[in-house]
């Protein structure tokens, strides 16, 4: 009947409105840091530490939660010369491994991780 159809329509609209509003009131999920990632970064005004002068430029950053390590690749000023570097940050052992490449030369350092 017409009366039953109107009541059914009102009930369905009420349910749809209630479901819509209950979803809107819920807090959004809290963001989490990914377990693994890599990113290309542009870095400016970075500064220096030890004998390495990180220069403004582009770097590649890798992170692994399962290995508890970071890796940073890019160009650095080392000993007054521009060289390619791969730097590894082992958070479990608290060591910083740095490898510098220039033509036929590779220089490796191990230092405490600050």
């Amino acid at each position: 009947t017409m009366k039953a159809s109107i009541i059914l329509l009102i009930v369905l609209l009420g349910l749809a409105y209630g479901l819509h509003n209950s979803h809107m009131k819920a807090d959004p999920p809290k963001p989490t840091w990914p377990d693994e990632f890599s990113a290309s970064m542009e870095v400016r005004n970075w500064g220096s530490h030890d004998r390495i002068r990180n220069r403004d430029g582009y770097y590649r950053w890798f992170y692994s939660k399962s290995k508890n390590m970071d890796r940073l690749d890019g160009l650095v000023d080392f000993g007054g010369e521009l060289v390619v570097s791969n730097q590894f940050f082992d958070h479990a052992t608290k060591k910083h491994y740095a490898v510098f490449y220039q033509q036929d030369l590779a220089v490796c350092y191990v230092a405490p991780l600050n």
Side-chain angles (χ1 to χ4, degrees):
T1 69
M2 182 69 134
K3 188 175 182 180
S5 296
I6 292 173
I7 291 173
L8 180 61
L9 180 62
I10 291 171
V11 168
L12 290 176
L13 287 173
L15 285 173
Y17 179 76
L19 288 173
H20 177 71
N21 281 344
S22 68
H23 176 66
M24 297 299 284
K25 291 179 184 176
D27 290 335
K30 192 172 188 173
T32 58
W33 197 256
D35 290 342
E36 313 279 330
F37 76 85
S38 64
S40 296
M41 307 181 307
E42 179 183 12
V43 179
R44 296 182 184 177
N45 302 319
W46 192 345
S48 304
H49 65 291
D50 297 330
R51 290 170 281 198
I52 306 165
R53 184 180 160 279
N54 293 303
R55 62 189 294 272
D56 293 352
Y58 294 94
Y59 293 85
R60 191 79 179 137
W61 179 23
F62 303 89
Y63 170 74
S64 172
K65 183 177 182 179
S66 63
K67 294 181 174 91
N68 199 15
M69 292 182 77
D70 291 277
R71 179 177 126 198
L72 189 65
D73 297 342
L75 296 174
V76 297
D77 182 342
F78 181 73
E81 297 189 36
L82 191 60
V83 298
V84 175
S85 75
N86 300 120
Q87 298 181 58
F88 301 87
F89 305 92
D90 189 339
H91 301 285
T93 63
K94 299 196 183 318
K95 290 190 178 179
H96 173 197
Y97 300 90
V99 183
F100 304 101
Y101 304 92
Q102 185 184 44
Q103 295 175 346
D104 295 333
L105 178 68
V107 178
C108 306
Y109 286 97
V110 179
L113 184 59
N114 293 331

